[in-house]
Amino acid sequence: MTHQLLYVCRRLPSLLARGAIQIYRHTFSLFLGRSCRYAPTCSEYTEGAIARFGLWKGGWMGLARIMRCRPGGASGFDPVPENLPENACWYLPWRYGDWRGENIESSARLD
Protein backbone atom coordinates (compact mmCIF):
# COMPACT_ATOMS: atom_id res chain seq x y z
CA MET A 1 0.00 0.00 0.00
CA THR A 2 2.78 2.47 0.83
CA HIS A 3 4.49 1.85 -2.52
CA GLN A 4 1.30 2.74 -4.37
CA LEU A 5 0.83 5.88 -2.31
CA LEU A 6 4.42 6.92 -2.92
CA TYR A 7 3.94 6.35 -6.67
CA VAL A 8 0.79 8.50 -6.74
CA CYS A 9 2.45 11.27 -4.68
CA ARG A 10 5.38 11.32 -7.07
CA ARG A 11 3.16 11.59 -10.13
CA LEU A 12 0.63 14.02 -8.64
CA PRO A 13 2.43 17.28 -9.59
CA SER A 14 2.88 16.03 -13.14
CA LEU A 15 -0.77 15.00 -13.40
CA LEU A 16 -1.94 18.36 -12.01
CA ALA A 17 0.19 20.25 -14.54
CA ARG A 18 -1.14 18.15 -17.39
CA GLY A 19 -4.68 18.76 -16.12
CA ALA A 20 -4.03 22.52 -16.07
CA ILE A 21 -2.83 22.30 -19.69
CA GLN A 22 -6.05 20.47 -20.62
CA ILE A 23 -8.12 23.19 -18.93
CA TYR A 24 -6.17 25.86 -20.82
CA ARG A 25 -6.64 24.02 -24.10
CA HIS A 26 -10.42 23.78 -23.66
CA THR A 27 -11.04 27.27 -22.22
CA PHE A 28 -8.57 30.12 -22.74
CA SER A 29 -7.12 28.72 -25.94
CA LEU A 30 -10.55 28.93 -27.56
CA PHE A 31 -10.65 32.69 -26.91
CA LEU A 32 -7.05 33.36 -27.93
CA GLY A 33 -7.40 31.56 -31.24
CA ARG A 34 -5.60 28.50 -32.53
CA SER A 35 -2.70 29.89 -34.45
CA CYS A 36 0.38 28.12 -33.14
CA ARG A 37 3.51 28.32 -35.28
CA TYR A 38 4.44 24.74 -34.48
CA ALA A 39 3.11 21.24 -34.90
CA PRO A 40 2.36 19.88 -32.37
CA THR A 41 1.02 22.98 -30.66
CA CYS A 42 2.88 24.42 -27.68
CA SER A 43 0.34 23.02 -25.21
CA GLU A 44 0.52 19.55 -26.80
CA TYR A 45 4.32 19.71 -26.79
CA THR A 46 4.46 20.74 -23.13
CA GLU A 47 1.99 18.07 -22.09
CA GLY A 48 3.95 15.43 -24.00
CA ALA A 49 7.26 16.57 -22.53
CA ILE A 50 5.84 16.45 -18.99
CA ALA A 51 4.36 13.00 -19.65
CA ARG A 52 7.67 11.70 -21.01
CA PHE A 53 10.23 13.39 -18.72
CA GLY A 54 8.32 14.57 -15.65
CA LEU A 55 7.27 18.01 -14.46
CA TRP A 56 10.72 19.52 -13.81
CA LYS A 57 12.44 18.50 -17.03
CA GLY A 58 9.36 18.55 -19.26
CA GLY A 59 8.22 21.86 -17.81
CA TRP A 60 11.51 23.52 -18.76
CA MET A 61 11.30 21.99 -22.22
CA GLY A 62 7.77 23.35 -22.60
CA LEU A 63 8.78 26.80 -21.35
CA ALA A 64 11.58 26.95 -23.92
CA ARG A 65 9.12 25.98 -26.64
CA ILE A 66 6.61 28.64 -25.56
CA MET A 67 9.36 31.27 -25.52
CA ARG A 68 10.28 30.32 -29.12
CA CYS A 69 6.68 30.85 -30.24
CA ARG A 70 6.99 34.57 -30.96
CA PRO A 71 7.33 36.82 -33.98
CA GLY A 72 10.69 36.13 -35.59
CA GLY A 73 10.96 32.74 -33.88
CA ALA A 74 11.22 29.39 -35.58
CA SER A 75 8.22 27.38 -36.77
CA GLY A 76 7.34 24.01 -38.27
CA PHE A 77 7.27 20.39 -37.14
CA ASP A 78 8.96 20.14 -33.74
CA PRO A 79 8.09 16.97 -31.76
CA VAL A 80 9.17 16.24 -28.21
CA PRO A 81 12.69 14.76 -28.37
CA GLU A 82 13.15 11.09 -27.60
CA ASN A 83 16.09 11.74 -25.24
CA LEU A 84 17.20 14.54 -22.98
CA PRO A 85 20.13 16.73 -24.02
CA GLU A 86 23.41 15.30 -22.78
CA ASN A 87 24.54 18.56 -21.12
CA ALA A 88 21.32 18.95 -19.08
CA CYS A 89 21.13 18.30 -15.36
CA TRP A 90 18.64 19.11 -12.62
CA TYR A 91 20.57 22.10 -11.25
CA LEU A 92 20.96 23.66 -14.73
CA PRO A 93 17.35 23.21 -15.86
CA TRP A 94 17.46 25.70 -18.75
CA ARG A 95 19.62 23.18 -20.59
CA TYR A 96 16.64 20.85 -20.97
CA GLY A 97 14.97 23.16 -23.47
CA ASP A 98 15.88 24.18 -26.98
CA TRP A 99 15.58 27.98 -26.78
CA ARG A 100 16.47 28.78 -30.42
CA GLY A 101 14.65 26.21 -32.56
CA GLU A 102 17.79 25.12 -34.39
CA ASN A 103 16.72 21.48 -34.11
CA ILE A 104 13.96 21.91 -36.72
CA GLU A 105 15.00 20.67 -40.15
CA SER A 106 14.88 23.29 -42.89
CA SER A 107 12.42 21.19 -44.92
CA ALA A 108 9.97 21.20 -41.98
CA ARG A 109 10.17 24.94 -41.28
CA LEU A 110 7.30 27.26 -42.10
CA ASP A 111 9.17 30.57 -41.84
Side-chain angles (χ1 to χ4, degrees):
M1 179 73 170
T2 59
H3 294 293
Q4 292 174 344
L5 183 61
L6 182 62
Y7 177 75
V8 169
C9 289
R10 242 186 224 168
R11 290 189 35 95
L12 187 61
S14 180
L15 292 173
L16 290 174
R18 292 176 63 198
I21 291 169
Q22 287 292 329
I23 290 170
Y24 161 78
R25 192 178 297 152
H26 296 293
T27 57
F28 297 115
S29 177
L30 297 174
F31 297 112
L32 297 174
R34 297 181 181 251
S35 60
C36 190
R37 301 166 54 91
Y38 293 98
T41 64
C42 293
S43 60
E44 291 170 343
Y45 181 94
T46 303
E47 184 179 9
I50 290 172
R52 183 173 291 167
F53 299 114
L55 181 59
W56 182 251
K57 298 169 189 169
W60 278 96
M61 294 172 86
L63 178 63
R65 168 69 176 277
I66 291 167
M67 296 301 292
R68 287 193 325 248
C69 195
R70 58 176 166 58
S75 63
F77 182 66
D78 181 27
V80 176
E82 294 292 324
N83 301 313
L84 292 171
E86 291 187 19
N87 66 343
C89 53
W90 69 270
Y91 56 87
L92 301 172
W94 55 88
R95 291 185 177 175
Y96 290 119
D98 174 26
W99 299 87
R100 290 185 222 134
E102 295 173 347
N103 63 319
I104 302 172
E105 295 179 23
S106 59
S107 63
R109 292 180 78 101
L110 300 175
D111 52 350

